[in-house]
Amino acid sequence: MDMTPAQICAALRERLAQDVAPKLDDDHALSQLHAAIDVLGKIAPLLDWSGEMLGEQIAALESRLAEAAETAAGAEGAPPLSAPLALPCADLHGRLAARRREASAWLDWLHGPGRALEPARRETLERLLSEALQGMLAAERKRIAAIDFASMTRG
């Protein structure tokens, strides 16, 4: 039987709700079970990373890294503007990893030799890198469901 991780989580949730919950008569144990069922529901979508999410993360990085390269143009030791990656579309993980390495190089440079930049350029670069990282996290965060505290107190 070939099941995806998300299907396994769904099956576990179903079995816990149908087979285990009816047998529990302790409110604390039941609330813990409902919490576990809720967590399994939140984990499932995260197990199958979507190409859409990776694309959003790549876009957040690429646009801000390009702006950073323009802002730092002519600054000594600044990481170069990288050419668009010639990776196949299917290798989104590789493309994202390459852009993350570039972002790390920019952060290392900014907190090393980049300290010599005039304050306005430095602040712009810090803002751009911060926006790039926030964009990556926002793409992940919007796929994480809010905690359902009500399900933990149902009897």
Side-chain angles (χ1 to χ4, degrees), residues 28-143:
H28 178 71
L30 194 56
S31 69
Q32 294 298 304
L33 177 67
H34 285 292
I37 291 169
D38 185 52
V39 168
L40 283 169
K42 288 173 182 39
I43 289 173
L46 298 175
L47 294 175
D48 294 324
W49 290 107
S50 73
E52 180 183 340
M53 183 191 75
L54 296 175
E56 289 173 21
Q57 291 180 312
I58 290 166
L61 281 172
E62 287 180 343
S63 64
R64 296 309 189 276
L65 291 175
E67 287 183 64
E70 290 173 19
T71 302
E76 188 176 330
L81 176 62
S82 62
L85 294 176
L87 295 174
C89 291
D91 191 12
L92 292 176
H93 289 283
R95 187 171 170 188
L96 179 59
R99 294 306 187 211
R100 283 182 171 178
R101 286 189 299 273
E102 288 179 33
S104 293
W106 274 100
L107 290 168
D108 289 344
W109 177 78
L110 191 59
H111 293 285
R115 290 181 190 214
L117 283 176
E118 57 272 14
R121 278 173 82 187
R122 184 173 165 74
E123 287 173 15
T124 300
L125 287 169
E126 287 175 346
R127 177 186 54 79
L128 290 169
L129 293 172
S130 177
E131 288 173 1
L133 298 175
Q134 289 172 357
M136 283 181 44
L137 292 174
E140 287 182 19
R141 180 62 187 110
K142 75 180 184 182
R143 286 161 175 82

Side-chain angles (χ1 to χ4, degrees), residues 9-46:
C9 284
L12 284 170
R13 291 182 75 209
E14 183 180 337
R15 294 285 45 100
L16 289 171
Q18 291 180 3
D19 297 340
V20 177
K23 294 181 170 82
L24 295 176
D25 56 5
D26 179 66
D27 287 340
H28 178 71
L30 194 56
S31 69
Q32 294 298 304
L33 177 67
H34 285 292
I37 291 169
D38 185 52
V39 168
L40 283 169
K42 288 173 182 39
I43 289 173
L46 298 175

